[in-house]
Amino acid sequence: MRLCSGWRPLLLFLPLIVVTHHLFPVELSHDAAAVKNSAASRRSKSDHLILGPAAGQGLPDRLQCQVDAQSSKLVTVGNASYNKVQRSMAVLNVYINFIQVAMPNSEIAILTDPESDIPIDRHKVTVYPIRGDYSRDKLMLQRIRSYIAFLDVKHKEHSRGQMNIKHYIFTDSDISVIDDLGRLFHDHPDFHLALTFRNNKEQPLNSGFIAVRGTTEGILRAKEFLQEVLLVYSSKFMKASRMLGDQLALAWTVHSHLSADSKRYLKPEPFIEEIGRVKVLFLPCAIYNWTPPEGAGQFHGMPLNVKVVHFKGSRKRLMLESWNFYQSSTSIPDMLCLILMSGRTKYDF
């Protein structure tokens, strides 16, 4: 039995199911010398948040922050040093924490390798094993396969009349949900599947957030769409199977059905397009998949209506810092201000 082996997708039920993929390959143990060297390496970098004027200060459509000098004393992960397993589990628990604050009625399913032994015992959190190839070079490919396998099971259950409607959101585990995502299905009643987009010519679509309407038709259409993405991935982007292949396959699938109108990606506003028989809702990353800047603070603040913060790459330490700060303040705006003011920090987690 392997502890926290491989990658795990996560899912939200809305009764939303948040299906989260936990994307950190984890090892059983760490060599003590390696941990010591890693800690020494971190000390040579910036190991704290640098607070200062928030970017976008004074702009009417950006979050405005007023944080006093005492705030920095509250922003801490403690003196603990994390190896890969501990770091992965800490991020996973913070992921769950934020969802249970923002959407207390939701459920969470962790899609994972059946050989994993995940030490999670949380209310409304279940482990959902799916067989597959969870090797590091196939993680992104397996993620899509796991989504398809999950949706296939749910479609069969719905077809037999065994389930009430539950909407699903597949996410990465390094995100913080800070608003109720259930409104998405009410405000946009006509879509089958939702993707997030950004103004990026090469990678306009991000796979870290995928929503599926929990009706029989919605689940079927979403499964069909992902099956087409998987086929494109397997035939055209296997050289990028370790990273980015899924996002390249998503973009290829969408643009093979639609004329690639980059102007649609310029404005952070939702829009719906039909991809074959699938009604796809495109949601702006600026709201549903916003990523804090890394270093230099060269951005213009945070939109006021951000619902999901995505702590990609080395920002995961900031995710833990953010939860710690939220615990001390119980204020989402103050926690977001912490993130804004940390924009000049190079994270090292």
Side-chain angles (χ1 to χ4, degrees):
M1 186 81 64
R2 288 181 292 172
L3 176 64
C4 298
S5 174
W7 148 96
R8 291 165 293 285
L10 293 131
L11 179 74
L12 254 162
F13 302 87
L14 235 184
L16 195 99
I17 290 182
V18 177
V19 182
T20 299
H21 20 281
H22 198 45
L23 290 178
F24 314 116
V26 200
E27 300 171 0
L28 266 175
S29 62
H30 252 25
D31 180 84
V35 174
K36 182 177 180 180
N37 291 337
S38 176
S41 175
R42 285 198 299 272
R43 285 195 295 270
S44 68
K45 302 177 182 179
S46 173
D47 61 355
H48 61 283
L49 298 176
I50 302 173
L51 300 182
Q57 195 72 40
L59 298 179
D61 60 344
R62 295 295 187 268
L63 181 69
Q64 304 300 313
C65 303
Q66 300 292 332
V67 180
D68 60 35
Q70 296 299 315
S71 298
S72 60
K73 296 181 180 179
L74 299 175
V75 183
T76 178
V77 185
N79 297 321
S81 296
Y82 295 94
N83 61 30
K84 284 188 178 182
V85 174
Q86 293 166 337
R87 178 184 67 181
S88 181
M89 292 309 304
V91 168
L92 179 57
N93 275 292
V94 167
Y95 166 87
I96 295 170
N97 293 343
F98 272 113
I99 289 174
Q100 292 185 337
V101 168
M103 299 186 297
N105 295 323
S106 65
E107 302 171 29
I108 299 172
I110 304 173
L111 308 189
T112 188
D113 182 350
E115 295 185 28
S116 296
D117 185 11
I118 303 176
I120 287 285
D121 183 15
R122 302 283 301 271
H123 182 55
K124 293 186 177 181
V125 178
T126 59
V127 176
Y128 196 101
I130 295 179
R131 295 196 176 280
D133 183 354
Y134 289 81
S135 61
R136 188 174 184 85
D137 287 344
K138 299 294 191 298
L139 288 180
M140 298 299 102
L141 194 65
Q142 180 59 42
R143 172 161 70 175
I144 297 177
R145 287 172 174 162
S146 293
Y147 291 171
I148 293 170
F150 178 88
L151 292 175
D152 184 57
V153 170
K154 296 306 173 186
H155 180 255
K156 290 176 180 176
E157 292 175 351
H158 273 267
S159 299
R160 294 193 293 263
Q162 295 177 342
M163 287 191 66
N164 297 322
I165 292 178
K166 289 185 178 182
H167 304 304
Y168 306 101
I169 299 178
F170 297 91
T171 77
D172 290 347
S173 58
D174 54 354
I175 73 164
S176 293
V177 175
I178 58 175
D179 200 358
D180 185 357
L181 299 177
R183 299 172 190 167
L184 170 66
F185 298 90
H186 178 269
D187 295 343
H188 304 278
D190 298 326
F191 75 91
H192 297 132
L193 173 142
L195 302 171
T196 56
F197 72 89
R198 57 201 172 194
N199 184 20
N200 183 313
K201 185 176 181 180
E202 300 300 323
Q203 299 168 36
L205 303 175
N206 183 270
S207 58
F209 181 101
I210 299 176
V212 175
R213 185 170 299 281
T215 61
T216 303
E217 183 181 13
I219 295 170
L220 176 62
R221 299 296 176 232
K223 187 183 76 167
E224 291 174 347
F225 177 83
L226 291 176
Q227 285 173 326
E228 184 173 353
V229 172
L230 180 62
L231 180 62
V232 171
Y233 196 155
S234 301
S235 61
K236 297 181 181 296
F237 299 108
M238 285 304 293
K239 289 184 178 179
S241 62
R242 186 167 183 173
M243 288 292 291
L244 302 181
D246 54 338
Q247 300 189 47
L248 296 172
L250 276 173
W252 180 279
T253 302
V254 169
H255 292 159
S256 67
H257 289 271
L258 305 174
S259 58
D261 184 3
S262 59
K263 293 182 180 179
R264 299 299 299 268
Y265 298 137
L266 295 178
K267 293 184 178 181
E269 298 175 356
F271 62 94
I272 290 183
E273 295 283 2
E274 289 200 21
I275 310 296
R277 298 190 298 173
V278 186
K279 294 179 180 178
V280 179
L281 172 65
F282 292 87
L283 299 167
C285 284
I287 299 173
Y288 290 91
N289 206 340
W290 186 81
T291 300
E294 185 178 39
Q298 72 287 28
F299 71 118
H300 301 291
M302 178 190 299
L304 289 171
N305 52 354
V306 166
K307 299 180 184 299
V308 176
V309 180
H310 195 165
F311 294 90
K312 300 175 187 174
S314 60
R315 299 167 182 83
K316 292 173 183 57
R317 177 174 156 235
L318 178 58
M319 181 177 179
L320 302 186
E321 297 273 9
S322 299
W323 175 251
N324 242 18
F325 187 75
Y326 174 75
Q327 283 186 297
S328 67
S329 68
T330 65
S331 167
I332 290 291
D334 285 350
M335 184 272 287
L336 294 177
C337 284
L338 163 70
I339 296 172
L340 276 173
M341 292 183 178
S342 67
R344 290 176 293 162
T345 302
K346 183 75 173 179
Y347 311 118
D348 57 359
F349 202 52

